[in-house]
Amino acid sequence: MPSYLITGVSRGIGYEFLRQYSSDPNNTVIGLVRDKPATDKKVAEDPDLKGRSNIHILEADVAKYNDLQNAAAHTANITGGSLDYIIANAAFLTQFDAYDPIGKLGEQPEELTKTLSDLFEVNVIANVHLFNLFLPLILKGNAKKVIAISTGLADPDFTSKYDLTTGSLYSASKAALNMIVAKFSAQYKADGVLFLAISPGLVDVGHYDNATPEQLQGFGGLVAKFLEYAPHFKGPITPEQSVTAVRKVIAEASVEKGNGGAFLSHLGNKQWF
Ligand SMILES: NC(=O)c1ccc[n+]([C@@H]2O[C@H](COP(=O)([O-])OP(=O)(O)OC[C@H]3O[C@@H](n4cnc5c(N)ncnc54)[C@H](OP(=O)(O)O)[C@@H]3O)[C@@H](O)[C@H]2O)c1
């Protein structure tokens, strides 16, 4: 019975991970959310997910260490003390740096500091604690795979080659997460644990639904660069397409194949879109 711990399953890509992994009744899927009643209701009203007894929703703000400690203890109770997979999907996402370049953000120094601090708290520090607290369970599991959901925007070569100014602070937090993954891999590869950062591609989860025409124009500039990078780019993919692809990468990657500590796309390589 493979077991999965997925953070941030309330919506977006995390909810799709919950949907896809729980479609196999042999899987035990534990989802962490900040608002358990809301996610329980959403699952109960979802024609696909309702009645799936292999879904366990636990309440945890990943930025709160005690919440993660409690979640690890609950997870051990559910699984009998082991865990096969961690999907560290939850992230702090912000509109603050979504359109303006980093030099322009500097005109709002206090908001810049606050945003960068929030980004590192959730996207970096929380995942360090998550990995450390759940590692005893992973070491007792069979698959021993720890996945961090990153972004292609955290690739410095990609950024420099195409002068990608968008999402500077967010990208920096994910680049730090990639390094954390590499460091955990450096320590635990010898124990057979695969640590891997995976970008899910550009996925439509409704983030730009409320963008102003001016903001969309800025986003259009980014899309033009994506087209230069990948002429086949046809716009964002659906969460279903993304998670299907990411699951394949997770299934195929291994320490033995040399994937420990790597940073791959949903295509299993460095092609981000
Ligand atoms: N969409 C894309 O194109 C794209 C591209 C590259 C990478 N990614 C990555 O994919 C992952 C999922 O993003 P998404 O696009 O699905 O975004 P999303 O729909 O905004 O989902 C973000 C999730 O993270 C959760 N979360 C945020 N802060 C949390 C906290 N402190 N504790 C617990 N949960 C928390 C949210 O829960 P609440 O409902 O409680 O807020 C939500 O479930 C992220 O790591 C993101 O960086 C996405």
Side-chain angles (χ1 to χ4, degrees):
M1 288 254 303
S3 51
Y4 294 81
L5 184 282
I6 308 164
T7 64
V9 301
S10 63
R11 54 198 166 92
I13 296 170
Y15 190 75
E16 185 61 27
F17 272 120
L18 181 72
R19 175 195 303 281
Q20 292 197 20
Y21 279 125
S22 67
S23 68
D24 181 345
N26 289 316
N27 292 339
T28 298
V29 187
I30 299 151
L32 298 197
V33 295
R34 286 190 284 194
D35 186 344
K36 176 171 158 57
T39 304
D40 281 342
K41 184 168 182 285
K42 185 170 175 174
V43 168
E45 290 173 355
D46 186 316
D48 289 346
L49 273 64
K50 67 176 180 188
R52 288 187 186 174
S53 58
N54 59 342
I55 293 179
H56 304 264
I57 302 297
L58 304 181
E59 191 158 291
D61 181 331
V62 296
K64 293 185 179 154
Y65 188 78
N66 284 349
D67 284 10
L68 289 178
Q69 273 184 313
N70 290 337
H74 274 127
T75 299
N77 281 340
I78 293 166
T79 62
S82 65
L83 183 64
D84 290 303
Y85 300 86
I86 294 174
I87 317 267
N89 163 80
F92 180 79
L93 301 157
T94 173
Q95 295 286 314
F96 176 64
D97 67 351
Y99 306 100
D100 293 327
I102 194 160
K104 177 98 175 141
L105 302 181
E107 292 169 13
Q108 296 167 265
E110 283 172 14
E111 195 164 355
L112 190 157
T113 302
K114 169 87 173 74
T115 304
L116 200 50
S117 167
D118 288 344
L119 282 162
F120 271 70
E121 184 181 24
V122 178
N123 301 357
V124 187
I125 300 167
N127 283 323
V128 174
H129 292 316
L130 176 83
F131 298 161
N132 276 324
L133 286 168
F134 282 82
L135 209 70
L137 306 185
I138 286 286
L139 288 169
K140 290 189 193 131
N142 291 321
K144 295 188 175 63
K145 292 190 180 184
V146 179
I147 309 301
I149 301 300
S150 187
T151 170
L153 294 177
D155 177 348
D157 295 334
F158 181 42
T159 301
S160 300
K161 186 165 182 194
Y162 293 93
D163 294 332
L164 302 177
T165 55
T166 313
S168 51
L169 310 180
Y170 164 72
S171 305
S173 74
K174 291 290 187 170
L177 175 62
N178 292 350
M179 181 52 80
I180 293 298
V181 165
K183 293 295 183 188
F184 268 98
S185 175
Q187 181 176 357
Y188 291 104
K189 193 196 287 172
D191 297 300
V193 183
L194 175 77
F195 279 87
L196 179 62
I198 305 180
S199 165
L202 184 66
V203 188
D204 185 4
V205 293
H207 282 164
Y208 298 96
D209 288 357
N210 298 319
T212 63
E214 202 179 40
Q215 289 172 329
L216 282 178
Q217 200 181 351
F219 188 67
L222 182 66
V223 169
K225 288 179 177 174
F226 288 171
L227 275 169
E228 189 188 339
Y229 167 70
H232 60 270
F233 180 71
K234 291 197 171 57
I237 54 177
T238 65
E240 185 178 359
Q241 289 170 317
S242 169
V243 170
T244 301
V246 172
R247 284 179 56 211
K248 185 166 181 282
V249 177
I250 295 171
E252 292 177 358
S254 70
V255 168
E256 292 73 25
K257 288 180 190 164
N259 301 122
F263 169 35
L264 300 174
S265 75
H266 60 303
L267 303 171
N269 52 32
K270 296 279 184 189
Q271 180 72 37
W272 306 117
F273 302 106

